[in-house]
């Protein structure tokens, strides 16, 4: 299949570790994203591989029994190892601390430790079948201090490192979940909630399995995802994923249902805020975006965004002494039964010794999602979306995929709404910084300019400038698209950059649509600006009326008096320039030399006489003498005046 077929792929540089055939156990630590390969026999050898080379560690420890769980604290400072149901052993990895083991038994009598979670570099939670115990580890004293504990019957637990929330399964059926959140040495109990289990025929009872639950952060909110398998007693035999939103305060509520439209064995990941559901029997995956809502469905019931597709084929390069350089890489078995899936985006193959990050490829989605408005909504929420969105815009305006004007307008409006929201956030931040921090308010963070912010420069450079040069597109459509983009910017009150107006003018002139240009300027469809007025001046040879249109625009700007004078002088309209500058009250400050030079260039002696006399009168009025100051550099003009009109023609100084 072509590359355009696959929208999911495994990362190119996976974490590689010793596979299951050469080690006794492989463990994964979700908090540090580390794989522990443990080999027993005499001494226990441990190789730890993380997402970065610097987080990789290899060490040996005494063999004191089978390792049930092993994890580093944040920053690889302290190692915790569980070998028995009653206690956890600790080893310092802090430089200059003794590399000796110390141990901590659980406090509750007759309790069995189900596992443990590090919530900080020196804070750890034991989860037992009778509750949880929150400890501070004191590495210098090689002991633990109990901070808080809570008694509760526990079937199994789940931990979300991003939010430091532990979820405990309680009650006989396991479907009442009790969350706890940990922060800076504190443990807080959140509101418990119940997962709705499918109805089964009596007397059978269904228990909630941890295999059907995942906890993930989606769009900055914590969700519990429940993989609800089909029930024979319901009309819908297909499985679905039910999302429960878990806020820091308040009750947990069922908010979203993802329709899988099939049955079988599934696994869940979250990549770039998309819920990815893997289906083993068909070896395909589907993705859901909980912010894309189906208009014809009940509230927050979602169908897959795209059709089912396999993950992009992955080939494993042969390594080791038996490998031959010319040997081709071996295809990896996708959706293997040896795969383990961890949140949010990790897939581990213990049999092959690889840990991958799952990634979304955006370019293939462009041809799989036909609704352009929905496609743009989808892309705007993705991390690396800018160039893909710009390619969609180009595709939408060109060739067979050319969209209708209403579709084009919809896309522009969606892009400019995001652009506007960013500009407003930036402005709010700037105002807040200028006014200084207010009492009791949290420090503001500067808004992040994500790839979803597509400004006028992006559209001009990557889409519109090349679009206007297309030979196979009608000029009417080109102008309509440009005006649609300008309308969209005006609608959200974004100041249109002059280069977009220039693009419109150049396109109109290229197609000799001078009447339309005149109309656009007359009715202020194109906003006044100095760069635009200068462009109009340059078009005078092609369109003579552009000269007057430019002057009118400069007059309306009222801050462009110097430019108007320069324009008139360049056209040898010296008297006109003088009249204009007098009309705006600037004649006392203008350069005499500039006007006299312009008059000389006309070769009109009477015009030169008139201009010379005007400045003599100004000098007399301002300084009491008609003579020019040396700083005005008009000596050559005085000489010329004497040659042509005689010295007696010079104005005499008034006598008192």
């Amino acid at each position: 299949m072509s590359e355009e077929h696959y929208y999911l792929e495994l990362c190119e540089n996976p974490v590689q570790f010793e596979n299951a055939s050469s080690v006794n156990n492989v463990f994964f630590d979700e908090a540090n994203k580390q794989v522990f390969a443990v080999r027993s026999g005499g001494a226990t050898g441990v190789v730890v591989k993380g997402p970065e080379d610097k987080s990789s560690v290899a060490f040996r420890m005494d063999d004191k029994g089978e390792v049930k769980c092993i994890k580093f604290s944040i920053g690889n400072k302290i190692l915790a190892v569980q070998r028995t149901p009653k206690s956890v052993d600790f080893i310092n990895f802090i430089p200059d601390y003794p590399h000796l083991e110390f141990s901590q038994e659980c406090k509750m009598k007759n309790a069995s430790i189900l596992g443990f979670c590090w919530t900080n570099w020196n804070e750890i939670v034991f989860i037992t079948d009778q509750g949880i115990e929150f400890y501070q580890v004191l590495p210098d004293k090689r002991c633990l201090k109990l901070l808080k504990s809570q008694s509760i019957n526990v079937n199994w637990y789940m931990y979300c490192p991003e939010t430091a929330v532990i979820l405990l399964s309680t009650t006989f059926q396991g479907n009442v979940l009790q969350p706890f959140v940990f922060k800076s040495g504190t443990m807080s109990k959140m509101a418990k909630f119940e997962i709705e289990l499918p109805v089964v025929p009596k007397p059978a009872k269904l228990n909630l399995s941890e295999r059907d639950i995942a906890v993930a952060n989606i769009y900055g909110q914590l969700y519990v995802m429940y993989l609800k398998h089909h029930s024979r007693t319901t009309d819908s035999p297909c499985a679905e994923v039910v999302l429960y939103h878990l806020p820091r305060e308040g009750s947990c509520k069922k908010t979203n249902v993802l329709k899988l439209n099939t049955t079988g064995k599934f696994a869940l990941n979250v990549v770039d805020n998309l819920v990815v559901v893997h289906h083993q029997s068909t070896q395909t995956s589907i993705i859901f975006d909980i912010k894309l809502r189906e208009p014809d469905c009940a509230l927050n019931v979602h169908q897959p965004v795209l059709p089912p597709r396999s993950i992009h084929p992955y080939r494993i390069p042969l390594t080791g002494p038996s490998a031959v350089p010319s040997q081709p890489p071996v295809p990896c078995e996708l959706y293997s039964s040896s795969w383990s899936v961890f949140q949010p985006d990790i897939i581990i193959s213990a049999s092959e010794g690889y840990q991958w990050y799952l990634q979304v490829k955006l370019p293939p989605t462009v041809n799989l999602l036909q609704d352009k408005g929905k496609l743009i909504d989808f892309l705007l929420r993705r991390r690396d979306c800018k160039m893909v969105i710009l390619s969609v815009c180009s595709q939408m305006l060109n060739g067979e995929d050319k969209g209708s004007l209403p579709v084009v307008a919809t896309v522009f409006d969606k892009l400019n709404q995001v652009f506007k929201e960013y500009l407003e956030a930036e402005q709010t931040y700037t105002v807040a910084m200028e006014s200084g921090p207010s009492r009791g308010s949290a420090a503001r963070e500067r808004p992040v300019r994500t790839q979803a912010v597509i400004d006028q420069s992006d559209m001009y450079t990557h889409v519109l400038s090349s679009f206007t040069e297309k030979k196979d597109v009608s000029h009417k459509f080109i102008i309509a698209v440009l005006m649609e983009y300008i309308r969209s910017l005006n609608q959200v009150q974004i100041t249109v950059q002059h280069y977009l107006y220039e693009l419109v003018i150049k396109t109109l002139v290229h197609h000799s649509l001078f009447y339309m240009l005149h109309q656009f300027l007359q009715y202020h469809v194109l906003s006044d600006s100095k760069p635009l007025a200068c462009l109009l001046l340059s078009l005078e040879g092609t369109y003579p009326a552009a000269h007057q249109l430019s002057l009118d625009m400069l007059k309306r700007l009222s801050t462009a008096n110097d430019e108007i004078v320069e324009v008139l002088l360049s056209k040898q309209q010296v008297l006109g320039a003088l009249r204009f500058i007098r009309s705006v009250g600037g004649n006392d400050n203008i350069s005499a030399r500039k006007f006299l030079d312009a008059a000389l260039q006309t070769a009109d002696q009477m015009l030169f006489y008139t201009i010379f006399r005007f400045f003599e009168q100004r000098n007399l009025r301002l300084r009491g003498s008609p003579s020019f100051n040396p700083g005005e550099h008009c000596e050559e003009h005085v000489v010329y005046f004497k040659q042509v009109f005689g010295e007696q023609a010079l104005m005499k100084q008034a006598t008192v």
Side-chain angles (χ1 to χ4, degrees):
M1 290 187 181
S2 68
E3 290 291 318
E4 293 181 359
H5 178 86
Y6 306 100
Y7 53 77
L8 290 169
E9 63 181 357
L10 303 174
C11 65
E12 289 183 5
N13 300 307
V15 176
Q16 193 171 1
F17 56 92
E18 292 181 85
N19 61 35
S21 61
S22 59
V23 296
N24 299 84
N25 270 312
V26 175
F27 299 94
F28 180 67
D29 173 13
E30 291 185 52
N32 290 315
K33 307 288 187 284
Q34 292 173 323
V35 178
F36 289 75
V38 180
R39 184 190 287 109
S40 302
T44 302
V46 181
V47 178
V48 185
K49 292 291 185 78
E52 299 172 4
D53 290 339
K54 65 181 180 182
S55 60
S56 299
V57 186
F59 57 90
R60 302 179 78 79
M61 55 188 186
D62 294 337
D63 193 347
K64 296 181 179 179
E66 181 190 354
V67 174
K68 298 182 183 296
C69 186
I70 181 168
K71 295 175 187 175
F72 268 118
S73 72
I74 296 163
N76 291 3
K77 294 184 186 296
I78 306 168
L79 181 73
V81 186
Q82 183 190 352
R83 298 184 176 98
T84 74
K86 296 293 181 185
S87 66
V88 177
D89 300 325
F90 297 87
I91 306 173
N92 280 330
F93 274 74
I94 303 170
D96 303 326
Y97 274 67
H99 201 69
L100 299 172
E101 284 196 22
F102 53 102
S103 187
Q104 176 66 48
E105 288 192 0
C106 60
K107 297 289 185 184
M108 298 174 191
K109 290 184 178 179
N110 304 320
S112 293
I113 298 174
L114 301 176
F116 59 85
C117 301
W118 288 100
T119 59
N120 207 332
W121 78 268
N122 65 340
E123 291 170 4
I124 193 168
V125 183
F126 290 3
I127 300 97
T128 74
D129 56 0
Q130 293 181 21
I132 56 174
E133 302 171 6
F134 184 34
Y135 291 96
Q136 181 183 21
V137 183
L138 306 170
D140 51 340
K141 297 179 180 177
R142 300 211 305 278
C143 66
L144 277 73
K145 174 187 174 184
L146 182 65
L147 299 174
K148 199 171 183 180
S149 63
Q150 177 84 40
S151 294
I152 183 172
N153 288 329
V154 181
N155 303 306
W156 47 263
Y157 74 95
M158 199 148 286
Y159 180 50
C160 178
E162 285 180 278
T163 53
V165 170
I166 293 177
L167 209 60
L168 305 180
S169 161
T170 67
T171 69
F172 177 73
Q173 285 186 282
N175 64 323
V176 175
L177 301 181
Q178 175 62 66
F180 289 87
V181 63
F182 299 83
K183 187 177 182 181
S184 306
T186 62
M187 178 178 93
S188 305
K189 192 176 184 180
M190 299 168 72
K192 66 181 178 181
F193 61 99
E194 184 175 343
I195 299 287
E196 296 175 22
L197 298 175
V199 178
V200 292
K202 292 182 179 180
K205 281 194 174 181
L206 190 68
N207 291 343
L208 180 65
S209 165
E210 62 189 295
R211 289 192 302 272
D212 296 330
I213 292 289
V215 185
N217 216 348
I218 307 173
Y219 291 116
Q221 298 294 317
L222 188 61
Y223 287 89
V224 176
M225 301 187 289
Y226 167 45
L227 184 55
K228 186 176 182 180
H229 295 278
H230 72 285
S231 167
R232 293 189 183 90
T233 61
T234 60
D235 295 334
S236 173
C238 296
E240 56 192 29
V241 177
V242 183
L243 267 61
Y244 292 81
H245 177 223
L246 186 56
R248 282 293 171 100
E249 295 179 5
S251 58
C252 181
K253 293 178 181 176
K254 182 167 81 170
T255 55
N256 306 77
V257 177
L258 316 181
K259 293 290 187 180
L260 305 186
N261 305 319
T262 187
T263 59
K265 189 176 179 183
F266 301 94
L268 303 174
N269 275 131
V270 173
V271 185
D272 203 2
N273 292 312
L274 296 168
V275 179
V276 182
V277 184
H278 307 290
H279 188 224
Q280 191 176 33
S281 59
T282 59
Q283 297 196 347
T284 58
S285 304
I286 49 178
I287 59 175
F288 295 87
D289 185 347
I290 62 171
K291 286 203 173 180
L292 279 182
R293 299 185 180 181
E294 299 292 331
D296 301 329
C297 291
L299 181 65
N300 295 345
V301 175
H302 306 266
Q303 291 293 333
V305 178
L306 302 170
R309 291 287 187 270
S310 168
I311 295 169
H312 191 286
Y314 188 89
R315 294 183 175 273
I316 298 172
L318 290 175
T319 56
S322 60
V324 178
S326 60
Q327 256 181 308
V330 178
C332 168
E333 184 189 348
L334 300 176
Y335 303 91
S336 162
S337 56
S338 72
W339 275 19
S340 298
V341 174
F342 296 92
Q343 298 311 315
D345 54 358
I346 289 167
I347 295 173
I348 290 179
S349 173
S351 63
E352 291 166 322
Y354 279 92
Q355 173 199 330
W356 292 283
Y357 288 94
L358 187 64
Q359 298 171 336
V360 174
K361 293 169 65 181
L362 293 181
T365 66
V366 172
N367 296 321
L368 292 171
L369 197 53
Q370 297 304 315
D371 182 329
K372 287 290 186 287
K374 192 174 178 182
L375 174 62
I376 292 296
D377 285 339
F378 173 79
L379 291 174
L380 281 169
R381 300 189 187 103
R382 309 286 75 83
R383 265 193 304 267
D384 302 318
C385 64
K386 176 169 284 189
M387 295 315 296
V388 181
I389 289 174
L390 291 169
S391 74
V392 169
C393 292
S394 292
Q395 190 186 70
M396 177 178 69
L397 300 177
N398 299 320
E400 297 174 6
D401 224 26
K402 193 164 69 177
S404 66
L405 211 53
V407 172
V408 172
T410 299
V411 170
F412 286 162
D413 287 348
K414 288 178 184 293
L415 299 183
N416 287 328
Q417 185 58 44
V418 174
F419 183 25
K420 176 65 173 177
E421 287 167 7
Y422 168 75
L423 292 176
E424 286 179 341
E426 184 73 28
Q427 187 179 19
T428 303
Y429 171 80
T430 304
V431 170
M433 290 299 101
E434 288 172 353
S435 60
S438 56
R439 185 179 295 176
S441 66
R444 285 184 177 272
E445 288 187 12
R446 184 169 198 139
V448 177
R449 184 175 182 132
T450 67
Q451 287 210 12
V453 178
I454 292 175
D455 61 22
Q456 297 174 68
S457 174
D458 296 322
M459 283 297 291
Y460 176 84
T461 305
H462 298 284
V463 181
L464 298 177
S465 57
S466 57
F467 168 62
T468 56
E469 295 169 4
K470 291 286 179 183
K471 299 288 190 287
D472 56 343
V473 181
S474 78
H475 63 265
K476 288 182 180 178
F477 184 65
I478 291 173
I479 292 161
V481 166
L482 294 176
M483 297 314 298
E484 200 57 58
Y485 186 60
I486 289 169
R487 174 210 57 80
S488 180
L489 290 167
N490 286 326
Q491 182 172 288
V492 289
Q493 298 175 315
I494 296 174
T495 304
V496 181
Q497 294 297 317
H498 66 84
Y499 48 75
L500 290 173
Y501 289 137
E502 289 176 14
L503 200 58
V504 174
I505 291 173
K506 286 177 180 176
T507 305
L508 291 168
V509 170
H510 179 71
H511 294 285
S512 301
L513 298 170
F514 301 119
Y515 175 74
M516 190 178 288
L517 171 59
H518 205 111
Q519 294 285 91
F520 281 177
L521 292 166
Q522 188 175 354
Y523 294 105
H524 307 294
V525 175
L526 308 178
S527 297
D528 296 342
S529 71
K530 289 182 185 179
L532 214 57
C534 293
L535 174 64
L536 286 169
L537 276 177
S538 70
L539 297 172
E540 187 183 3
T542 312
Y543 180 44
H547 171 70
Q548 190 57 47
L549 289 169
S550 169
L551 281 181
D552 293 343
M553 183 178 289
L554 288 169
K555 285 176 184 175
R556 288 196 297 272
L557 286 168
S558 74
T559 57
N561 295 340
D562 292 343
E563 285 83 353
I564 294 174
V565 169
E566 293 294 340
V567 169
L568 292 170
L569 291 178
S570 70
K571 300 295 176 186
Q572 297 191 339
Q573 297 179 25
V574 188
L575 280 176
L578 201 53
R579 288 192 197 101
F580 170 75
I581 209 69
R582 289 183 70 182
S583 71
V584 295
N587 50 305
D588 286 352
N589 302 313
I590 57 173
S591 163
R593 178 174 176 167
K594 181 186 289 187
F595 277 77
L596 291 169
D597 278 342
L600 264 178
Q601 288 170 11
T602 65
D604 183 338
Q605 292 180 348
M606 289 315 297
L607 174 65
F608 182 80
Y609 181 90
T610 304
I611 300 299
F612 192 91
R613 184 67 78 207
F614 169 82
F615 284 106
E616 278 189 318
Q617 289 171 344
R618 184 187 75 165
N619 294 342
L620 186 63
R621 178 169 52 82
L622 294 178
R623 299 196 296 269
S625 170
S627 303
F628 292 94
N629 281 341
E632 293 182 273
H633 305 293
C634 295
E635 292 82 4
E636 61 183 284
H637 304 97
V638 173
V639 170
Y640 176 77
F641 186 88
K642 288 178 182 178
Q643 287 173 351
V644 176
F645 303 104
E647 191 166 345
Q648 71 280 4
L650 288 171
M651 185 181 284
K652 300 293 186 288
Q653 187 164 343
T655 56
V656 179

